[in-house]
Structures are given as structure tokens and as C-alpha cells.
Amino acid sequence: YIIAFTFRSNNNVDLNYSSREGEALARVWAIIHFQHYLYD
């Protein structure tokens, strides 16, 4: 079941990261954003 959808666009600083760093940043952001679902 889908609980929530989210979207985050990259800013100018994020565009300087490599693809691996950008994917890691997306994971960290998603964990922080959805922590109330993950750690409940």
C-alpha cells in the first residue's frame, strides 16, 4: 500500500554532486522526511 508520495528538486549545490553522492543524499533526505513512519 502507498502511504505517501513526496518530491524534492535539486538546488544548484546538489547538481555538483556525483550520481552516487546524489543518490545517497536522496536516501538520507527520505529517511529524515519519513522518520515518523519509520521509527514509530
Side-chain angles (χ1 to χ4, degrees):
Y1 296 101
I2 297 172
I3 296 171
F5 288 102
T6 188
F7 177 78
R8 178 183 182 273
S9 60
N10 292 335
N11 57 28
N12 291 335
V13 176
D14 294 343
L15 296 175
N16 294 328
Y17 292 134
S18 67
S19 61
R20 181 177 293 169
E21 291 171 328
E23 290 174 5
L25 176 66
R27 290 183 182 105
V28 169
W29 179 84
I31 290 170
I32 292 169
H33 185 76
F34 290 115
Q35 69 182 352
H36 57 277
Y37 293 116
L38 298 172
Y39 301 117
D40 191 26

